[in-house]
Amino acid sequence: MRTTGSVALVVLATGKYLEFVPAMVRSAERHVTGLAAAFVLSDQRPAEMDGLDVRWLPWGHTPWPLSTMVRYRAMTAYADRLVSFRTILHVDADMEFVGAVDLSECQGLFAVRHPLQADRSPADLPFERRCASRAYVAAEEGTVYVAGGVQGGSSPAYLEACATMAEWIQDDLDAGLTPVWHDESIWNRYCITHPPAVVLPVEYCTPDVRRTPDSRILALTKDHDRYRDVPASVRARRRLHRLAMKAKSRAARIVRGTGR
């Protein structure tokens, strides 16, 4: 790994998500310009990786979705370890770098257009619409919906954002609220209030099943319930619900005469 770089890669990988870290960090080493160190927030010590500066930041595991919602609190807790780097690149653990990523000179924040929301009209974007939440986005606000899986910026700007978002999430938790898309909802609210200096295209957070020659970072397909430790009884209910919805959709098509 580059020892003279200015970019800190930060990943939250508690529980089973730690499985993704070695391959993800190796791919970042190949593709991220100026990468100096990788910080792993986890309840387990990451495996040693020859030649790589991988630093463990102990962080306890909590049930999903709290495990993802506390990511900003975690980075704020270790701000003194991150602030010495010029740029912070924060990604989900289940990512793979497949193309050149150069954010080393970014001023302010950077965000990525959500690949599944990029073609929707502003009215259809899945912002948090409950006004009681700190993630609330009014109908007249927000024209771009950004992904939670890849984000960051210059260390002062991004760490300030993390501190503020950690407070917002705690406010919601104290009020018994969970934003509709968890920490991603909070990140979208913050990006509306504090517009990023750079909004990267969907190629920086592409589902692996939609990979194109221009893709830079892939979001890997996985069994969400397994990694989130969802109980088997809940999985069974979800399967039954999906089957019921498919049956209902099929019946509606038959009634309309548009399918079988």
Side-chain angles (χ1 to χ4, degrees), residues 5-10 34-39 81-82 85-90:
S6 59
V7 177
L9 176 69
V10 182
L35 188 59
F39 290 87
R81 304 279 293 276
L82 303 175
F85 295 85
R86 189 181 190 285
T87 303
I88 296 172
L89 170 57
H90 175 49

Side-chain angles (χ1 to χ4, degrees), residues 19-28 30 49 95-97:
E19 298 173 7
F20 290 106
V21 168
M24 187 272 288
V25 172
R26 292 287 187 190
S27 70
R30 292 191 294 271
M49 302 172 68
M95 293 286 179
E96 180 184 2
F97 293 81

Side-chain angles (χ1 to χ4, degrees), residues 12 62-72 92 169 182-183:
L12 177 66
T62 51
W64 188 87
L66 187 60
S67 54
T68 185
M69 289 173 64
V70 298
R71 68 176 65 204
Y72 301 121
D92 283 348
I169 287 177
H182 314 120
D183 48 280

Side-chain angles (χ1 to χ4, degrees), residues 33-216:
T33 299
L35 188 59
F39 290 87
V40 182
L41 290 146
S42 181
D43 55 328
Q44 309 160 68
R45 183 182 293 276
E48 293 187 6
M49 302 172 68
D50 293 342
L52 301 179
D53 184 5
V54 178
R55 309 181 192 182
W56 180 36
L57 302 179
W59 190 257
H61 179 66
T62 51
W64 188 87
L66 187 60
S67 54
T68 185
M69 289 173 64
V70 298
R71 68 176 65 204
Y72 301 121
R73 184 192 304 172
M75 286 185 282
T76 300
Y78 286 102
D80 60 332
R81 304 279 293 276
L82 303 175
V83 72
S84 61
F85 295 85
R86 189 181 190 285
T87 303
I88 296 172
L89 170 57
H90 175 49
V91 302
D92 283 348
D94 51 333
M95 293 286 179
E96 180 184 2
F97 293 81
V98 295
V101 174
D102 186 357
L103 299 164
S104 57
E105 300 300 320
C106 179
Q107 302 285 340
L109 300 174
F110 61 80
V112 179
R113 290 180 70 97
H114 197 294
L116 304 183
Q117 310 297 336
D119 297 327
R120 291 192 174 190
S121 66
D124 294 330
L125 295 174
F127 295 116
E128 173 58 73
R129 300 300 190 184
R130 292 173 297 172
C131 60
S133 172
R134 295 302 299 268
Y136 171 65
V137 176
E140 66 274 12
E141 295 183 287
T143 58
V144 174
Y145 189 86
V146 296
V150 180
Q151 57 185 260
S154 61
S155 60
Y158 187 61
L159 291 173
E160 179 180 356
C162 287
T164 299
M165 290 188 288
E167 292 180 0
W168 290 355
I169 287 177
Q170 190 59 53
D171 287 344
D172 269 14
L173 292 174
D174 290 344
L177 292 171
T178 299
V180 60
W181 290 111
H182 314 120
D183 48 280
E184 184 175 86
S185 296
I186 290 286
W187 175 233
N188 272 274
R189 172 68 266 175
Y190 193 89
C191 287
I192 291 172
T193 307
H194 304 80
V198 177
V199 177
L200 298 164
V202 298
E203 285 76 17
Y204 284 80
C205 188
T206 307
D208 55 4
V209 294
R210 298 188 178 193
R211 181 174 179 170
T212 72
D214 295 324
S215 295
R216 307 294 184 91

